[in-house]
Amino acid sequence: MKKSKRLIRFFAIAWVAATGCTPAHKTLTPLQALQVALPPQTVTIKLTGYKPAAERSFSNIFVNNFSVKASQGQLTYSSARDGMPDTLKLAHIADYNFGTGSAESAVPYFPDLVLYLAGITSSSQSLLYCPPSQTLSSTNDLFSYIDTRTSPPTTQYLGLRDCDKLYIGLNNNLFDNDGDGIPDYLELRCGLNPANPNDANLSIAGDGVSNIQKCKQGIPVDENANSQPNQLFASKYRTTVQSDGTTAFSVSNLPVLNGGQDNFIAFHLTELDNTTQKSFLFTAFYILPAGSAGQTFSFAYWANQQGMTPQNQGLTPL
Amino acid sequence: MKTHRVSSKISATLACVSLVSLSCNENTLTPLTQNEFANLHYVNVDAQFCTSEPENSQQKIKYLFLIDHSASNQPLFGSPLVAGDDNNTDPVGARRYGPLVQFVNGVIQNPNPSNLTSFALIDFNSNAYAPGYPGAYVNISAANPTATATTQTFDTDPNDFLNTYVIPDWEGCFNNSGQSQNCLGTATNPQPFDVGFTNYQSALAAAQDLIYNDLEAEATSLVTPPVKIDYVIIMVTDGFPNVASPNPPGYTPQSFSVDLQGVIQNIINYKSNPTFGPLISNISLNTAYYYPSAATPDQNDENLLQQMSALGLGKSQVFGNGSSVVYQSYAPVSRQVKYNLADVWIENENAVWWDNGQLMLDSDGDGLPDLIESQLGSNPFVQDSDGNGVSDLVEYRAMGKPCKDASCSPANRNPYAVCDGLSPSTDASGNVTFPYSAKDGLNDCEKLVLNGTQANFDSNGDFLPDLMEFKANLPFVLGASGAFLNPYGDPLNNYQKLKAGLPVSISQAKVLNFNTRQITLEHVQSTTPDNQCYHLIAGSVAALNGGNSIKISVIQNTAVIDNVPILQTAVRALNGMSDSVYFVPTDFK
């Protein structure tokens, strides 16, 4: 079988070379090993009324479902919403002390994701220390929210506290340390390095889709964007400038699991000051109710025109 | 499934047939160079590889202990003792020295190889001084930070460090195993060294001085790649920084903003120093506040120490109720370095896009096409025609010609004085080979000639290996990259063109009748829980003759913290009539 396949391929190539004509699709596309039988359940998120202040310009928007991770043709659920699927955490109970209930289940103030990526196993976790003055974020690169799934409800933190940034060698006063356009926490979640200025522009998979684009669409940076599963999993962004001068964003095909219930939708919007070239980050979140799958949720842009307040906002649909 | 695969290939062929008849016209069919393109065909590359397994992070850990020898350690100091007194904090040194001896002994068991861990000790009371030599006070200050406080250096031998500095400093109270010896400092016979005021500023300035001297020594004895240094400063004190005030006689407290902030900032700033920064993984100033058993911690003292360690990016801890300092709690967290795939490059070493925008045969794979080599007088079948250790392409780009004289006579080759410090090997015919510190294919001398970074395969950090970037005539040296530029306003930028196997020297619109590469990357089963394995398939890799060598460069980057890329490469030749080159994980070195 293999021989005849190659023979056919050889003839095809020889024929192309001989005639000098390039076929429209250019190559023999290898089969994708990964196939998804059913398209995932999705939601559509709309954000209206966005307008940056006069001296600012819009840079980028990331709308991600933090409860879901796409990888190797599968959507896996992350109860802690921290970029680590439950299956991964459960596989590392013994060596990392991980639990699925919280993003900081092993060491107070240090996200499990940071411990995992930095390779800090349970034997050395006790040496980590977060000074009281560094337990929050100076840059808005941290969500705080009330998790009502526990009784009583608990305050949870998702993102990078100042001591986390300092520990991994980042400047705690910057939300995008390498200036590549991806906020530091998202960069960690996407499997990139927040200190490397070039990795956002690369296309690891060689498919021409840059890592930043995949990070935005919620698909893995080290897999082909045009594989069948990733085509199904990639969320689609549309930006519309309205007649009143505001901008509306629509993010469709955002995959959800469990019918959407308790899925954590995170918003990261970045702006640039045209004169100082300083960049700004505004974050918000919305936790989907049961039965959200297939629905559209519309929100008004949460920050005021100066874009300073409020930040890290829990949103309410219009 | 396989039947389907074959039939899809057949339909692809048929689709091409129909496309030829429908859509081919004279304009798009004009080849750029008839001669070269006559041999053009395409091969497939199929490779399996894995990211590296996690490894224990290696860094030099340099502990610098700053230990308080002020009079308040003594019993009966300022007697009569009153409740809440700040004195009598550590009369026999057991809170400071007992755990220090244990810690230094225990560090040897750290997974970090012991020769990467070293220690130094500075004492301070009215001034900082070298341990055991209170007579040798050196009055250094933030204003005079480079005054030599001590001749001490970081000691990599724990026993030597204990016996030379710690035990004598402790007045011989206890031996190395913690057993009581002739102890001079007792409750009734206080340590003679625990006298005077508490000069934090002097201690910090001495620490800065010691670290500065150490960094200077490290910078000159640079090994490549450098093992970075983590300086862990641990300041052990019973609080209340103050210095003598002569007029009126008494003491003056030291404050954070006036006395301490500047010198702490100086120490931390070494991390961003252009010379020292690359040597340093971390510097932290940590504080340990041991207060007397009878008292609660002094809130001002505690706050000040917290402020200092917050600026010094370290820990601030309190050891009360007579307890001992826990040095282990300041030890750097040992961790494993994990790698993520950062990029993959495929090159055909024998088909290069030359500066004129033509794909040309390069038999020796030096980047200079055969046709150009024959015009220039160099040997198209030898990468380094004059045998001087610098390849023909490097010489061509650096000097305008691949040999010093056109005959390529070894007697007349260019010696490249800039490489004098390197130690090349020379074979019987006098051909020189320089060491390859980086694995991108440019040797140390070539990197020097081209102003690249010897030990780094990617001098400008854009994830394009130096030699590949150099062959494409893009800048690869530190501070310059053309990877993400798009000089012709094409659909693809330079990076994307290189991925697609297109030339960067001409506009995309001028590349006619050429198939771009199609790359598919898929995950396959990992070999360990903490690495990733991949299957890479590339179709339409251009080839010009039968003996093409395909080179794959796999670049990984650390997940967090280190931001260190590593390169692995594999080369395999296309065999005979086969249209595919297969790579297995063990090919990548």
Side-chain angles (χ1 to χ4, degrees):
Chain A
M1 186 58 89
K2 204 164 190 178
K3 199 165 187 180
S4 67
K5 182 191 77 180
R6 280 206 226 150
L7 208 60
I8 288 166
R9 192 186 291 175
F10 173 77
F11 282 133
I13 289 167
W15 196 88
V16 170
T19 57
C21 172
T22 309
H25 69 284
K26 297 199 169 170
T27 56
L28 310 165
T29 313
L31 277 187
Q32 295 300 327
L34 305 169
Q35 296 281 327
V36 178
L38 283 175
Q41 293 187 311
T42 63
V43 294
T44 297
I45 300 289
K46 290 186 170 172
L47 189 63
T48 57
Y50 169 70
K51 189 178 182 188
E55 71 279 9
R56 301 260 191 91
S57 54
F58 169 75
S59 300
N60 211 340
I61 185 168
F62 299 80
V63 180
N64 300 93
N65 183 353
F66 275 11
S67 297
V68 167
K69 190 169 174 66
S71 176
Q72 305 188 40
Q74 284 190 314
L75 289 178
T76 47
Y77 193 65
S78 169
S79 300
R81 301 157 171 170
D82 61 352
M84 298 192 71
D86 291 357
T87 46
L88 181 61
K89 283 203 174 187
L90 293 172
H92 288 290
I93 290 176
D95 52 350
Y96 280 90
N97 266 331
F98 289 154
T100 57
S102 147
E104 295 165 344
S105 68
V107 183
Y109 310 119
F110 286 87
D112 295 356
L113 182 66
V114 168
L115 300 180
Y116 183 68
L117 292 175
I120 302 167
T121 51
S122 48
S123 59
S124 35
Q125 284 171 0
S126 62
L127 295 172
L128 289 169
Y129 171 76
C130 188
S133 59
Q134 297 171 4
T135 58
L136 294 176
S137 168
S138 305
T139 62
N140 208 21
D141 201 3
L142 177 75
F143 290 98
S144 72
Y145 70 96
I146 309 291
D147 191 349
T148 54
R149 294 174 298 177
T150 57
S151 177
T154 47
T155 303
Q156 294 286 334
Y157 290 88
L158 261 183
L160 298 175
R161 301 169 189 259
D162 280 354
C163 63
D164 303 333
K165 290 214 182 196
L166 290 166
Y167 178 71
I168 56 180
L170 302 176
N171 182 339
N172 61 316
N173 294 313
L174 298 174
F175 70 84
D176 178 13
N177 266 263
D178 51 14
D180 61 5
I182 312 179
D184 295 336
Y185 180 56
L186 280 183
E187 194 147 5
L188 285 184
R189 293 182 65 109
C190 292
L192 300 172
N193 193 314
N196 194 300
N198 286 319
D199 59 1
N201 291 319
L202 307 179
S203 173
I204 297 175
D207 52 12
V209 182
S210 63
N211 294 341
I212 185 172
Q213 203 62 24
K214 288 179 179 167
C215 192
K216 189 170 161 161
Q217 295 176 339
I219 55 174
V221 295
D222 57 355
E223 291 178 20
N224 272 52
N226 49 20
S227 73
Q228 187 253 7
N230 289 334
Q231 289 279 320
L232 290 174
F233 296 159
S235 45
K236 297 174 176 60
Y237 287 70
R238 189 197 298 140
T239 305
T240 317
V241 178
Q242 311 285 44
S243 53
D244 63 358
T246 64
T247 301
F249 302 101
S250 165
V251 185
S252 59
N253 198 57
L254 195 61
V256 296
L257 285 173
N258 302 342
Q261 180 168 11
D262 293 327
N263 283 216
F264 187 100
I265 308 298
F267 298 79
H268 289 78
L269 187 141
T270 53
E271 287 180 356
L272 191 70
D273 187 295
N274 300 329
T275 45
T276 64
Q277 295 297 299
K278 184 173 156 53
S279 52
F280 297 85
L281 171 68
F282 305 101
T283 57
F285 63 90
Y286 178 65
I287 298 173
L288 293 173
S292 296
Q295 309 285 314
T296 296
F297 296 87
S298 297
F299 304 92
Y301 182 63
W302 61 93
N304 66 9
Q305 220 229 340
Q306 281 68 46
M308 297 309 293
T309 55
Q311 302 183 348
N312 186 22
Q313 183 77 355
L315 299 180
T316 312
L318 289 172
Chain B
M1 195 56 98
K2 284 199 169 175
T3 317
H4 167 73
R5 188 186 294 206
V6 172
S7 64
S8 76
K9 298 288 155 53
I10 295 170
S11 58
T13 315
L14 291 174
C16 181
V17 173
S18 58
L19 275 164
V20 171
S21 53
L22 291 174
S23 65
C24 291
N25 61 56
E26 288 305 310
N27 289 339
T28 58
L29 278 177
T30 312
L32 273 176
T33 317
Q34 203 65 49
N35 287 343
E36 296 296 342
F37 275 59
N39 288 325
L40 175 63
H41 59 108
Y42 298 96
V43 299
N44 301 305
V45 174
D46 184 309
Q48 297 219 13
F49 57 88
C50 299
T51 58
S52 302
E53 290 176 27
E55 54 193 34
N56 288 328
S57 82
Q58 287 227 329
Q59 55 186 352
K60 292 182 187 173
I61 300 174
K62 302 202 177 196
Y63 290 102
L64 172 53
F65 306 101
L66 309 178
I67 293 194
D68 188 331
H69 272 270
S70 63
S72 52
N73 284 291
Q74 293 180 19
L76 309 177
F77 179 74
S79 60
L81 280 174
V82 289
D85 200 327
D86 283 348
N87 302 317
N88 190 23
T89 49
D90 188 19
V92 299
R95 298 175 77 186
R96 291 166 285 172
Y97 285 95
L100 178 58
V101 171
Q102 283 175 2
F103 172 69
V104 172
N105 273 324
V107 157
I108 310 168
Q109 277 101 47
N110 190 302
N112 209 20
S114 55
N115 63 353
L116 291 184
T117 305
S118 55
F119 310 91
L121 174 62
I122 290 172
D123 292 342
F124 66 96
N125 40 37
S126 296
N127 279 302
Y129 62 95
Y133 303 96
Y137 287 2
V138 177
N139 189 5
I140 62 171
S141 66
N144 184 23
T146 52
T148 300
T150 159
T151 53
Q152 209 195 155
T153 53
F154 285 93
D155 193 337
T156 53
D157 179 350
N159 282 322
D160 183 63
F161 173 69
L162 289 175
N163 293 325
T164 312
Y165 301 106
V166 180
I167 305 293
D169 200 33
W170 195 5
E171 289 293 304
C173 268
F174 294 90
N175 68 14
N176 209 338
S177 322
Q179 285 159 342
S180 181
Q181 290 192 160
N182 300 323
C183 187
L184 295 177
T186 65
T188 51
N189 181 18
Q191 284 203 47
F193 294 177
D194 285 339
V195 292
F197 295 93
T198 309
N199 190 342
Y200 282 7
Q201 188 194 56
S202 161
L204 292 168
Q208 187 196 344
D209 188 44
L210 188 72
I211 290 174
Y212 179 86
N213 289 339
D214 187 62
L215 282 167
E216 278 207 314
E218 289 276 357
T220 51
S221 67
L222 187 62
V223 290
T224 51
V227 179
K228 291 192 176 189
I229 309 165
D230 189 346
Y231 288 102
V232 184
I233 310 169
I234 306 174
M235 184 176 206
V236 180
T237 176
D238 64 357
F240 199 48
N242 59 83
V243 289
S245 128
N247 192 19
Y251 58 82
T252 311
Q254 288 182 323
S255 83
F256 178 72
S257 56
V258 175
D259 303 299
L260 308 174
Q261 194 171 8
V263 63
I264 297 173
Q265 197 63 58
N266 285 345
I267 295 172
I268 297 304
N269 282 351
Y270 287 142
K271 267 164 77 170
S272 46
N273 178 297
T275 310
F276 297 150
L279 305 173
I280 300 169
S281 75
N282 198 33
I283 301 182
S284 61
L285 169 66
N286 306 273
T287 59
Y289 175 33
Y290 60 99
Y291 62 90
S293 55
T296 52
D298 182 295
Q299 208 51 56
N300 289 336
D301 285 348
E302 194 182 345
N303 290 347
L304 175 69
L305 290 167
Q306 275 184 6
Q307 248 182 324
M308 291 166 62
S309 59
L311 180 63
L313 304 177
K315 285 185 191 181
S316 168
Q317 295 190 100
V318 173
F319 300 93
N321 202 21
S323 62
S324 300
V325 174
V326 183
Y327 290 92
Q328 182 61 36
S329 63
Y330 298 97
V333 179
S334 71
R335 57 189 173 86
Q336 292 191 313
V337 180
K338 292 187 179 172
Y339 292 97
N340 288 336
L341 181 63
D343 221 330
V344 190
W345 292 101
I346 302 164
E347 294 166 84
N348 181 347
E349 295 193 307
N350 303 115
V352 298
W353 287 102
W354 187 237
D355 299 354
N356 58 6
Q358 293 178 16
L359 186 70
M360 299 173 90
L361 181 65
D362 178 19
S363 296
D364 55 11
D366 60 4
L368 205 55
D370 293 4
L371 191 66
I372 307 295
E373 293 217 47
S374 54
Q375 286 167 5
L376 292 166
S378 56
N379 186 341
F381 303 102
V382 177
Q383 295 196 342
D384 175 17
S385 300
D386 57 5
N388 64 353
V390 176
S391 80
D392 294 344
L393 179 66
V394 174
E395 296 195 13
Y396 175 75
R397 293 253 195 260
M399 318 292 288
K401 52 186 181 180
C403 302
K404 193 176 184 185
D405 77 305
S407 70
C408 278
S409 156
N412 294 320
R413 65 194 179 196
N414 193 328
Y416 290 107
V418 69
C419 302
D420 282 353
L422 305 171
S423 14
S425 60
T426 309
D427 69 10
S429 347
N431 292 326
V432 174
T433 308
F434 286 99
Y436 285 84
S437 296
K439 290 190 288 186
D440 62 282
L442 286 171
N443 66 39
D444 289 0
C445 179
E446 291 167 343
K447 294 248 176 174
L448 283 178
V449 169
L450 298 168
N451 298 317
T453 312
Q454 277 183 62
N456 193 343
F457 70 87
D458 179 15
S459 299
N460 58 6
D462 60 3
F463 290 102
L464 281 71
D466 286 353
L467 178 58
M468 192 183 88
E469 212 162 12
F470 177 64
K471 279 186 176 181
N473 210 6
L474 292 173
F476 69 91
V477 298
L478 186 63
S481 169
F484 304 106
L485 301 181
N486 188 349
Y488 301 101
D490 287 337
L492 303 181
N493 65 25
N494 287 338
Y495 170 86
Q496 293 164 323
K497 285 181 182 178
L498 289 171
K499 277 259 154 151
L502 289 167
V504 298
S505 56
I506 55 169
S507 158
Q508 221 173 318
K510 293 187 178 167
V511 186
L512 306 173
N513 189 22
F514 184 79
N515 294 0
T516 56
R517 278 180 206 165
Q518 303 295 310
I519 301 172
T520 298
L521 187 72
E522 290 170 350
H523 279 278
V524 292
Q525 184 72 41
S526 305
T527 51
T528 72
D530 285 323
N531 75 347
Q532 302 282 329
C533 294
Y534 296 92
H535 185 191
L536 173 81
I537 303 171
S540 292
V541 176
L544 289 174
N545 69 341
N548 294 276
S549 265
I550 305 295
K551 177 181 183 183
I552 300 183
S553 305
V554 172
I555 305 174
Q556 307 177 49
N557 203 35
T558 53
V560 282
I561 302 182
D562 311 87
N563 193 26
V564 175
I566 57 172
L567 173 72
Q568 291 175 315
T569 58
V571 180
R572 271 187 182 261
L574 187 65
N575 286 324
M577 283 299 287
S578 169
D579 67 345
S580 294
V581 192
Y582 294 90
F583 292 80
V584 295
T586 47
D587 290 344
F588 293 85
K589 310 284 188 225

